[in-house]
Amino acid sequence: MRATLVLTGAVVVAVLVQTTLGALVASVTEVVPNCMLVIAVYLGLRYRGVGGVVGAFMVGYTLDTFSGTLLGVHAAACTAAYVVAYLVGRTLRTEDGVPAMIVVFLAGLVYAVVAYGVVVLVDRAWPGWAFVVGRGLVEATLATLMTPWTFRFLGWERRLLGIA
């Protein structure tokens, strides 16, 4: 129950950061930093099993709800990012720092491909590989830069509620 509160609080803060401060960054990079991706990776590294998968799906679905895009695009992409983080976390120990940032970068690339893949399946509008790869690299890089702060915030919440 407490872990659910921690993740719910992190999702609320991430949505606020992504919708408010993201607009400032988007004016420069044309891409909004994806805080929810980092939370999905956190779930993949720390919560193994059905709870983690459902949590990653709900993180993506929350982003779908607030972003105004097709429902399911971010939910599928966050679930794919969870799977990447789960598979890496199952093999390697990636608690925090540079290893977690590398996992977020890889998951960010998968996230971009899955998100654009779902859009292509639904809307049949393919922007081209150059656009997807370029935008995916920028999104993954921004998410990677946000990883230490997001992981520290989640750790602070866990200590505050007596979980850690």
Side-chain angles (χ1 to χ4, degrees):
M1 181 63 176
R2 288 187 207 173
T4 305
L5 286 174
V6 167
L7 293 171
T8 303
V11 167
V12 168
V13 170
V15 166
L16 290 173
V17 167
Q18 201 160 325
T19 56
T20 56
L21 299 178
L24 296 171
V25 175
S27 64
V28 176
T29 63
E30 297 181 5
V31 175
V32 176
N34 195 346
C35 304
M36 304 298 240
L37 168 65
V38 181
I39 294 173
V41 169
Y42 178 84
L43 287 169
L45 294 174
R46 303 272 167 88
Y47 295 96
R48 310 231 166 90
V50 177
V53 175
V54 170
F57 178 82
M58 293 307 295
V59 164
Y61 195 76
T62 302
L63 185 56
D64 281 332
T65 304
F66 285 99
S67 68
T69 60
L70 297 167
L71 288 178
V73 172
H74 297 291
C78 275
T79 305
Y82 171 88
V83 170
V84 168
Y86 169 76
L87 291 174
V88 171
R90 192 175 72 177
T91 309
L92 303 172
R93 184 166 174 86
T94 53
E95 290 294 321
D96 201 4
V98 175
M101 292 172 75
I102 292 170
V103 173
V104 168
F105 185 78
L106 293 174
L109 295 177
V110 170
Y111 184 98
V113 170
V114 169
Y116 284 111
V118 170
V119 169
V120 167
L121 288 175
V122 174
D123 280 346
R124 297 184 182 172
W126 178 246
W129 278 110
F131 180 80
V132 172
V133 170
R135 192 148 182 173
L137 285 172
V138 172
E139 287 178 3
T141 302
L142 289 174
T144 301
L145 294 174
M146 297 183 66
T147 302
W149 290 297
T150 306
F151 275 43
R152 282 188 187 113
F153 177 74
L154 285 161
W156 174 78
E157 273 190 318
R158 291 174 60 87
R159 284 190 303 279
L160 185 69
L161 292 174
I163 298 173

Coordinates of all heavy atoms in Angstrom, one line a residue, residues 25-93:
V25 N 11.0 23.6 -21.9 CA 12.0 22.9 -22.6 C 11.6 22.6 -24.0 O 12.4 22.6 -24.9 CB 12.3 21.5 -21.8 CG1 13.3 20.7 -22.6 CG2 12.8 21.8 -20.4
A26 N 10.3 22.4 -24.3 CA 9.9 22.1 -25.6 C 10.0 23.3 -26.5 O 10.1 23.1 -27.8 CB 8.4 21.7 -25.6
S27 N 10.1 24.5 -26.0 CA 10.3 25.6 -26.9 C 11.7 25.6 -27.4 O 11.9 26.2 -28.5 CB 10.0 26.9 -26.1 OG 10.9 27.1 -25.0
V28 N 12.6 25.0 -26.8 CA 14.0 24.9 -27.3 C 14.3 23.6 -28.1 O 14.8 23.6 -29.2 CB 15.0 25.0 -26.1 CG1 16.4 24.8 -26.6 CG2 14.8 26.3 -25.3
T29 N 13.8 22.5 -27.5 CA 14.2 21.2 -28.1 C 13.1 20.6 -29.0 O 13.3 19.6 -29.6 CB 14.5 20.2 -27.0 OG1 13.3 20.0 -26.2 CG2 15.6 20.6 -26.1
E30 N 11.9 21.2 -28.9 CA 10.7 20.7 -29.6 C 10.2 19.3 -29.1 O 9.4 18.6 -29.7 CB 10.9 20.6 -31.1 CG 11.2 21.9 -31.8 CD 11.4 21.8 -33.3 OE1 11.2 20.7 -33.8 OE2 11.7 22.8 -33.9
V31 N 10.8 18.9 -28.0 CA 10.4 17.6 -27.3 C 10.2 17.9 -25.8 O 11.0 18.6 -25.2 CB 11.5 16.6 -27.5 CG1 11.2 15.3 -26.7 CG2 11.7 16.3 -29.0
V32 N 9.1 17.4 -25.3 CA 8.9 17.5 -23.8 C 9.6 16.3 -23.1 O 9.5 15.2 -23.5 CB 7.4 17.4 -23.6 CG1 7.1 17.4 -22.1 CG2 6.6 18.5 -24.3
P33 N 10.4 16.6 -22.1 CA 11.0 15.6 -21.3 C 10.0 14.6 -20.7 O 9.0 15.0 -20.2 CB 11.8 16.3 -20.2 CG 11.9 17.7 -20.6 CD 10.7 18.0 -21.5
N34 N 10.3 13.3 -20.9 CA 9.3 12.3 -20.5 C 9.7 11.8 -19.1 O 10.5 10.8 -19.0 CB 9.3 11.2 -21.5 CG 8.1 10.3 -21.4 OD1 7.4 10.3 -20.3 ND2 7.9 9.5 -22.4
C35 N 9.1 12.4 -18.1 CA 9.4 11.9 -16.7 C 8.7 10.6 -16.4 O 9.2 9.8 -15.6 CB 8.8 12.9 -15.7 SG 9.4 14.6 -15.9
M36 N 7.6 10.3 -17.1 CA 6.9 9.0 -16.9 C 7.7 7.8 -17.4 O 7.6 6.8 -16.8 CB 5.6 9.1 -17.7 CG 4.7 10.2 -17.3 SD 4.3 10.2 -15.5 CE 2.5 10.1 -15.7
L37 N 8.5 8.1 -18.4 CA 9.4 7.0 -18.9 C 10.4 6.6 -17.8 O 10.6 5.4 -17.6 CB 10.2 7.5 -20.1 CG 11.4 6.6 -20.6 CD1 10.9 5.2 -21.0 CD2 12.1 7.3 -21.6
V38 N 10.9 7.5 -17.1 CA 11.9 7.2 -16.0 C 11.1 6.4 -14.9 O 11.7 5.5 -14.3 CB 12.5 8.5 -15.4 CG1 13.5 8.2 -14.3 CG2 13.2 9.3 -16.6
I39 N 9.9 6.8 -14.6 CA 9.2 6.0 -13.6 C 8.9 4.6 -14.0 O 9.0 3.7 -13.3 CB 7.9 6.8 -13.2 CG1 8.2 8.1 -12.5 CG2 7.0 5.9 -12.3 CD1 7.0 9.0 -12.3
A40 N 8.6 4.4 -15.3 CA 8.3 3.1 -15.9 C 9.6 2.2 -15.8 O 9.6 1.1 -15.4 CB 7.9 3.2 -17.3
V41 N 10.8 2.9 -16.0 CA 12.0 2.2 -15.9 C 12.3 1.8 -14.4 O 12.8 0.7 -14.1 CB 13.2 3.0 -16.5 CG1 14.5 2.4 -16.2 CG2 13.0 3.1 -18.0
Y42 N 12.0 2.8 -13.5 CA 12.2 2.5 -12.1 C 11.3 1.3 -11.7 O 11.8 0.4 -10.9 CB 11.7 3.8 -11.3 CG 11.8 3.6 -9.8 CD1 13.0 3.8 -9.1 CD2 10.6 3.3 -9.1 CE1 13.0 3.7 -7.8 CE2 10.7 3.1 -7.7 CZ 11.9 3.3 -7.1 OH 11.9 3.2 -5.7
L43 N 10.1 1.2 -12.2 CA 9.3 0.1 -11.9 C 9.9 -1.2 -12.4 O 9.9 -2.3 -11.8 CB 7.9 0.2 -12.5 CG 7.0 1.2 -11.8 CD1 5.8 1.5 -12.7 CD2 6.6 0.8 -10.4
G44 N 10.5 -1.2 -13.6 CA 11.1 -2.4 -14.2 C 12.3 -2.8 -13.4 O 12.6 -4.0 -13.4
L45 N 13.1 -1.9 -12.9 CA 14.3 -2.2 -12.1 C 13.9 -2.7 -10.7 O 14.7 -3.5 -10.1 CB 15.2 -1.0 -12.1 CG 15.8 -0.6 -13.4 CD1 16.7 0.6 -13.2 CD2 16.6 -1.8 -14.0
R46 N 12.9 -2.2 -10.1 CA 12.6 -2.5 -8.7 C 11.4 -3.4 -8.4 O 11.4 -4.0 -7.4 CB 12.3 -1.1 -8.0 CG 13.5 -0.1 -8.1 CD 14.5 -0.3 -7.0 NE 15.7 0.4 -7.3 CZ 16.0 1.7 -6.9 NH1 15.1 2.3 -6.3 NH2 17.1 2.2 -7.2
Y47 N 10.4 -3.4 -9.3 CA 9.2 -4.1 -9.0 C 9.0 -5.2 -10.1 O 8.6 -4.8 -11.2 CB 8.0 -3.2 -9.0 CG 8.0 -2.2 -7.8 CD1 8.5 -0.9 -8.0 CD2 7.6 -2.6 -6.6 CE1 8.6 -0.1 -6.9 CE2 7.7 -1.8 -5.5 CZ 8.1 -0.5 -5.7 OH 8.2 0.4 -4.6
R48 N 9.3 -6.4 -9.8 CA 9.2 -7.5 -10.7 C 7.8 -8.2 -10.5 O 7.5 -8.5 -9.4 CB 10.3 -8.4 -10.6 CG 11.6 -7.6 -10.6 CD 12.6 -8.2 -11.5 NE 13.7 -7.2 -11.7 CZ 14.8 -7.2 -11.0 NH1 15.0 -8.0 -10.0 NH2 15.7 -6.3 -11.3
G49 N 7.1 -8.5 -11.6 CA 5.9 -9.2 -11.4 C 4.7 -8.4 -12.0 O 4.9 -7.3 -12.6
V50 N 3.5 -8.9 -11.7 CA 2.3 -8.3 -12.2 C 2.1 -6.8 -11.7 O 1.7 -6.0 -12.5 CB 1.1 -9.1 -11.8 CG1 -0.2 -8.5 -12.3 CG2 1.2 -10.5 -12.4
G51 N 2.5 -6.5 -10.5 CA 2.3 -5.2 -10.0 C 3.1 -4.2 -10.7 O 2.7 -3.1 -11.0
G52 N 4.3 -4.5 -11.1 CA 5.2 -3.6 -11.9 C 4.6 -3.4 -13.3 O 4.7 -2.3 -13.8
V53 N 4.2 -4.5 -13.9 CA 3.6 -4.3 -15.3 C 2.4 -3.4 -15.3 O 2.2 -2.5 -16.1 CB 3.3 -5.7 -15.9 CG1 2.6 -5.5 -17.2 CG2 4.5 -6.5 -16.0
V54 N 1.5 -3.7 -14.3 CA 0.3 -2.9 -14.2 C 0.6 -1.5 -13.9 O 0.0 -0.5 -14.4 CB -0.7 -3.5 -13.1 CG1 -1.8 -2.6 -12.8 CG2 -1.2 -4.8 -13.6
G55 N 1.6 -1.3 -13.0 CA 2.0 0.1 -12.7 C 2.6 0.8 -13.9 O 2.2 2.0 -14.1
A56 N 3.4 0.2 -14.7 CA 3.9 0.8 -15.9 C 2.8 1.1 -16.9 O 2.8 2.2 -17.5 CB 5.0 -0.1 -16.5
F57 N 1.9 0.2 -17.0 CA 0.8 0.5 -17.9 C 0.0 1.7 -17.4 O -0.4 2.5 -18.2 CB -0.1 -0.8 -18.0 CG -1.4 -0.6 -18.9 CD1 -1.3 -0.7 -20.2 CD2 -2.6 -0.2 -18.3 CE1 -2.4 -0.5 -21.0 CE2 -3.7 0.0 -19.1 CZ -3.6 -0.1 -20.5
M58 N -0.3 1.7 -16.1 CA -1.1 2.9 -15.6 C -0.3 4.2 -15.7 O -0.9 5.2 -15.9 CB -1.5 2.6 -14.1 CG -2.4 1.4 -14.0 SD -3.9 1.6 -15.0 CE -4.7 3.0 -14.2
V59 N 1.0 4.1 -15.6 CA 1.8 5.3 -15.8 C 1.6 5.8 -17.2 O 1.4 7.0 -17.4 CB 3.3 5.1 -15.4 CG1 4.2 6.1 -16.0 CG2 3.5 4.9 -13.9
G60 N 1.7 4.9 -18.1 CA 1.5 5.3 -19.5 C 0.1 5.8 -19.8 O -0.1 6.7 -20.6
Y61 N -0.9 5.1 -19.2 CA -2.3 5.5 -19.5 C -2.5 6.9 -18.9 O -3.3 7.6 -19.4 CB -3.2 4.4 -18.9 CG -4.6 4.6 -19.4 CD1 -4.9 4.1 -20.7 CD2 -5.6 5.1 -18.6 CE1 -6.2 4.3 -21.1 CE2 -6.9 5.3 -19.1 CZ -7.2 4.8 -20.3 OH -8.5 5.0 -20.8
T62 N -1.9 7.2 -17.7 CA -2.1 8.5 -17.1 C -1.5 9.6 -18.1 O -2.1 10.6 -18.3 CB -1.3 8.6 -15.8 OG1 -1.9 7.6 -14.9 CG2 -1.5 9.9 -15.2
L63 N -0.4 9.3 -18.7 CA 0.2 10.2 -19.7 C -0.7 10.3 -20.9 O -0.8 11.4 -21.4 CB 1.6 9.7 -20.1 CG 2.4 10.6 -21.0 CD1 2.6 12.0 -20.4 CD2 3.8 10.0 -21.2
D64 N -1.3 9.2 -21.3 CA -2.2 9.3 -22.4 C -3.4 10.2 -22.1 O -3.8 11.0 -22.9 CB -2.8 7.9 -22.8 CG -1.9 7.1 -23.6 OD1 -1.1 7.6 -24.3 OD2 -1.9 5.8 -23.5
T65 N -3.9 10.1 -20.9 CA -5.0 10.9 -20.5 C -4.7 12.4 -20.5 O -5.5 13.2 -20.9 CB -5.5 10.4 -19.1 OG1 -5.8 9.0 -19.1 CG2 -6.7 11.2 -18.6
F66 N -3.5 12.7 -20.0 CA -3.2 14.1 -19.8 C -2.6 14.7 -21.1 O -2.5 16.0 -21.2 CB -2.3 14.4 -18.6 CG -3.0 14.3 -17.3 CD1 -3.0 13.1 -16.6 CD2 -3.7 15.4 -16.9 CE1 -3.7 13.1 -15.4 CE2 -4.4 15.3 -15.7 CZ -4.4 14.2 -14.9
S67 N -2.1 13.9 -22.0 CA -1.4 14.5 -23.2 C -2.4 14.7 -24.3 O -2.0 15.5 -25.2 CB -0.3 13.5 -23.6 OG -0.9 12.3 -24.1
G68 N -3.5 14.1 -24.3 CA -4.5 14.4 -25.4 C -4.2 13.6 -26.7 O -4.8 13.9 -27.7
T69 N -3.3 12.6 -26.6 CA -3.1 11.8 -27.8 C -4.0 10.6 -27.8 O -4.9 10.5 -27.0 CB -1.6 11.3 -27.8 OG1 -1.4 10.5 -26.6 CG2 -0.6 12.4 -27.8
L70 N -3.8 9.7 -28.8 CA -4.6 8.5 -28.8 C -4.4 7.7 -27.5 O -3.3 7.6 -27.1 CB -4.1 7.7 -30.0 CG -4.3 8.2 -31.4 CD1 -3.5 7.4 -32.4 CD2 -5.7 8.3 -31.8
L71 N -5.5 7.2 -27.0 CA -5.4 6.4 -25.8 C -4.6 5.1 -26.1 O -5.0 4.4 -27.1 CB -6.7 6.1 -25.2 CG -7.4 7.3 -24.6 CD1 -8.8 6.9 -24.0 CD2 -6.6 7.9 -23.4
G72 N -3.7 4.8 -25.4 CA -2.9 3.5 -25.6 C -1.5 3.7 -26.1 O -0.7 2.8 -26.0
V73 N -1.2 4.8 -26.7 CA 0.1 5.0 -27.3 C 1.2 5.0 -26.2 O 2.1 4.2 -26.3 CB 0.2 6.4 -28.1 CG1 1.6 6.7 -28.5 CG2 -0.8 6.3 -29.3
H74 N 1.0 5.8 -25.2 CA 2.0 5.9 -24.1 C 1.9 4.7 -23.2 O 2.9 4.3 -22.6 CB 1.8 7.2 -23.3 CG 2.1 8.4 -24.2 ND1 3.4 8.8 -24.6 CD2 1.3 9.4 -24.6 CE1 3.3 9.9 -25.3 NE2 2.0 10.3 -25.3
A75 N 0.7 4.1 -23.1 CA 0.6 2.9 -22.2 C 1.4 1.8 -22.8 O 2.1 1.1 -22.1 CB -0.9 2.6 -22.1
A76 N 1.3 1.6 -24.1 CA 2.0 0.5 -24.8 C 3.5 0.8 -24.7 O 4.3 -0.1 -24.4 CB 1.6 0.4 -26.2
A77 N 3.9 2.1 -24.9 CA 5.3 2.4 -24.9 C 5.9 2.3 -23.5 O 7.1 1.9 -23.3 CB 5.5 3.8 -25.4
C78 N 5.2 2.7 -22.5 CA 5.7 2.6 -21.1 C 5.8 1.1 -20.7 O 6.7 0.7 -20.0 CB 4.7 3.3 -20.1 SG 5.1 5.0 -19.9
T79 N 4.9 0.3 -21.2 CA 5.0 -1.2 -20.9 C 6.2 -1.8 -21.6 O 6.9 -2.6 -21.0 CB 3.7 -1.9 -21.3 OG1 2.5 -1.2 -20.7 CG2 3.7 -3.3 -21.0
A80 N 6.5 -1.3 -22.8 CA 7.7 -1.8 -23.5 C 8.9 -1.3 -22.8 O 9.9 -2.1 -22.7 CB 7.7 -1.3 -25.0
A81 N 8.9 -0.1 -22.3 CA 10.1 0.4 -21.5 C 10.2 -0.4 -20.2 O 11.4 -0.7 -19.8 CB 9.9 1.9 -21.2
Y82 N 9.1 -0.8 -19.6 CA 9.2 -1.6 -18.4 C 9.9 -2.9 -18.7 O 10.7 -3.4 -18.0 CB 7.8 -1.8 -17.9 CG 7.8 -2.9 -16.8 CD1 8.0 -2.5 -15.5 CD2 7.6 -4.2 -17.1 CE1 8.0 -3.5 -14.4 CE2 7.6 -5.2 -16.1 CZ 7.8 -4.8 -14.8 OH 7.8 -5.8 -13.8
V83 N 9.5 -3.5 -19.9 CA 10.0 -4.8 -20.3 C 11.5 -4.7 -20.5 O 12.3 -5.6 -20.0 CB 9.3 -5.4 -21.5 CG1 10.0 -6.6 -22.1 CG2 7.9 -5.7 -21.2
V84 N 12.0 -3.7 -21.1 CA 13.4 -3.5 -21.3 C 14.1 -3.4 -20.0 O 15.2 -4.0 -19.8 CB 13.7 -2.2 -22.2 CG1 15.2 -1.8 -22.2 CG2 13.2 -2.4 -23.6
A85 N 13.6 -2.5 -19.1 CA 14.2 -2.3 -17.8 C 14.2 -3.6 -17.0 O 15.2 -4.0 -16.3 CB 13.5 -1.2 -17.0
Y86 N 13.1 -4.4 -17.1 CA 13.0 -5.6 -16.4 C 14.0 -6.6 -16.8 O 14.7 -7.3 -16.0 CB 11.6 -6.2 -16.5 CG 11.4 -7.6 -16.1 CD1 11.4 -7.9 -14.7 CD2 11.4 -8.7 -16.9 CE1 11.3 -9.2 -14.2 CE2 11.3 -10.0 -16.5 CZ 11.2 -10.3 -15.2 OH 11.1 -11.5 -14.7
L87 N 14.2 -6.8 -18.2 CA 15.1 -7.7 -18.7 C 16.6 -7.3 -18.4 O 17.4 -8.2 -18.0 CB 15.0 -7.8 -20.2 CG 13.7 -8.5 -20.7 CD1 13.5 -8.4 -22.2 CD2 13.6 -9.9 -20.2
V88 N 16.9 -6.1 -18.4 CA 18.2 -5.6 -18.0 C 18.4 -5.8 -16.5 O 19.5 -6.3 -16.1 CB 18.5 -4.2 -18.5 CG1 19.8 -3.7 -17.9 CG2 18.5 -4.1 -20.0
G89 N 17.5 -5.4 -15.7 CA 17.6 -5.5 -14.3 C 17.6 -6.9 -13.8 O 18.1 -7.1 -12.7
R90 N 17.1 -7.8 -14.5 CA 17.1 -9.2 -14.1 C 18.5 -9.8 -14.3 O 18.9 -10.7 -13.6 CB 16.1 -10.0 -15.0 CG 15.8 -11.4 -14.6 CD 14.8 -12.0 -15.4 NE 15.4 -12.3 -16.7 CZ 14.7 -12.9 -17.7 NH1 13.5 -13.2 -17.6 NH2 15.3 -13.2 -18.8
T91 N 19.2 -9.3 -15.2 CA 20.6 -9.8 -15.5 C 21.7 -9.0 -14.8 O 22.6 -9.5 -14.3 CB 20.9 -9.7 -17.0 OG1 19.8 -10.4 -17.7 CG2 22.1 -10.4 -17.4
L92 N 21.6 -7.6 -14.8 CA 22.6 -6.8 -14.2 C 22.0 -6.0 -13.0 O 20.8 -5.7 -13.0 CB 23.0 -5.7 -15.3 CG 23.6 -6.3 -16.6 CD1 23.8 -5.2 -17.6 CD2 24.9 -7.1 -16.3
R93 N 22.9 -5.7 -12.1 CA 22.4 -4.9 -11.0 C 22.5 -3.4 -11.3 O 23.6 -2.8 -11.5 CB 23.3 -5.2 -9.8 CG 22.9 -4.5 -8.5 CD 23.6 -5.1 -7.3 NE 23.3 -4.3 -6.1 CZ 22.2 -4.5 -5.4 NH1 21.4 -5.4 -5.7 NH2 22.1 -3.8 -4.3

